[in-house]
Amino acid sequence: MVVHTRRSWLLPLVGLIAISTSGCAGQAGAAATMAGGRVTESALAQRSAIVLAENVKGAPTDSQRAIVNRDQITYLIRHALLARAAAAAGIVVTDAEVHAAAPTLAQQNVTAALAIPKADEAGAIRDLLTLSALIKKVPAAGAPVDDVSVTLQGVPADTRAEAVAKRSEFSSNPASMAAALSAAADKGVDQTFTLLGQNQVAGAGVFRSGNSDMVLVPNGTTFLVMRILNRTVKPSKLTPAALSAATGVAPLFNLASLLLARYEDPAGISVNPRYGVWDPVSVQVVPGNDGL
């Protein structure tokens, strides 16, 4: 059997990722850092430009650029955490296994699903196989995770600019949100999300934010300006059944990445506020206060 040695935590794409042995996200030129390495801002810009060119027709919006930037940093940090988890569990995925799985996984367009460059396909397949091996080690009773539940109220907005303006207004004058909710009638939103049950909204930062915080949640081509009414955290179990119920590459990757949370603190993850903030609950980069 040919053993493939896992790479450093930063997945290289045609030499775009610079490695540093020290520093923080506040260091000039760093988009994100983790113990032993960093993603440079120039490397991130090149990665994101490739993804946008491969997936977006026409000129990308600022919101699209921001989302793609977060996707790149999220993938690279998860790749690093996955390497740590694999080493701890004694998991090694060989080149032969990647080659054998490629025809099937390629049909699922894994790079588009994860919003990463097409050149990263083999690395993404390797990570998915590693996640699969980790999932097989999850006991029937489930792996311990913190489940977060949030209850939110929301007001619809047609555009991001409108959503940002409404959030500013509601933050400075809470009574105006009550009036907007009343005016929105059946278009208003009042619902509860759980991290394990509705992980697909985690990228908006709803599970990281605290009570009374305002978050912007994409809703198709529009937005919801949402205020968190209540946030609770309780120990729970991520079961094989829940993982097997996740359909699609991105939902499975997002849910299974919760298994990596135990490796976050030792890794010393830091993200440049220009691109967002690291959410240790959902194990990904989420928007900062700019609302992108």
Side-chain angles (χ1 to χ4, degrees), residues 85-272:
I91 295 171
V92 176
V93 175
T94 68
D95 290 338
E97 289 169 327
V98 173
H99 181 75
T104 299
L105 289 177
Q107 292 179 5
Q108 299 182 46
N109 203 357
V110 295
T111 56
L114 298 176
I116 58 176
K118 292 179 180 178
D120 278 0
E121 182 178 76
I125 290 173
R126 187 180 303 279
D127 282 353
L128 286 168
L129 292 177
T130 304
L131 272 179
S132 178
L134 280 175
I135 290 170
K136 290 178 181 178
K137 292 181 177 290
V138 174
V145 295
D146 286 334
D147 194 12
V148 181
S149 176
V150 290
T151 301
L152 308 99
Q153 284 183 321
V155 174
D158 291 332
T159 66
R160 176 189 166 274
E162 180 186 351
V164 171
K166 284 186 175 182
R167 185 182 64 176
S168 178
E169 176 189 355
F170 299 159
S171 295
S172 60
N173 181 15
S176 65
M177 185 169 189
L181 282 165
S182 178
D186 61 340
K187 293 182 180 179
V189 175
D190 189 351
Q191 57 185 300
T192 298
F193 295 111
T194 61
L195 179 61
L196 293 183
Q198 291 98 7
N199 189 268
Q200 74 274 10
V201 301
V206 298
F207 296 112
R208 176 184 180 275
S209 302
N211 291 339
S212 299
D213 283 355
M214 294 278 186
V215 292
L216 304 186
V217 180
N219 184 35
T221 59
T222 61
F223 290 83
L224 293 169
V225 185
M226 306 198 81
R227 177 177 62 193
I228 296 178
L229 300 179
N230 184 54
R231 179 184 187 272
T232 59
V233 182
K234 65 177 182 179
S236 187
K237 298 284 188 179
L238 180 56
T239 65
L243 288 160
S244 64
T247 57
V249 170
L252 175 61
F253 209 94
N254 289 337
L255 189 60
S257 288
L258 300 182
L259 298 171
L260 308 177
R262 59 185 290 194
Y263 301 98
E264 291 176 298
D265 285 346
I269 300 165
S270 182
V271 175
N272 188 324

Side-chain angles (χ1 to χ4, degrees), residues 27-49:
Q27 180 183 4
T33 62
M34 187 171 169
R38 65 173 181 158
V39 181
T40 67
E41 290 192 276
S42 59
L44 175 63
Q46 291 181 64
R47 280 186 68 94
S48 295

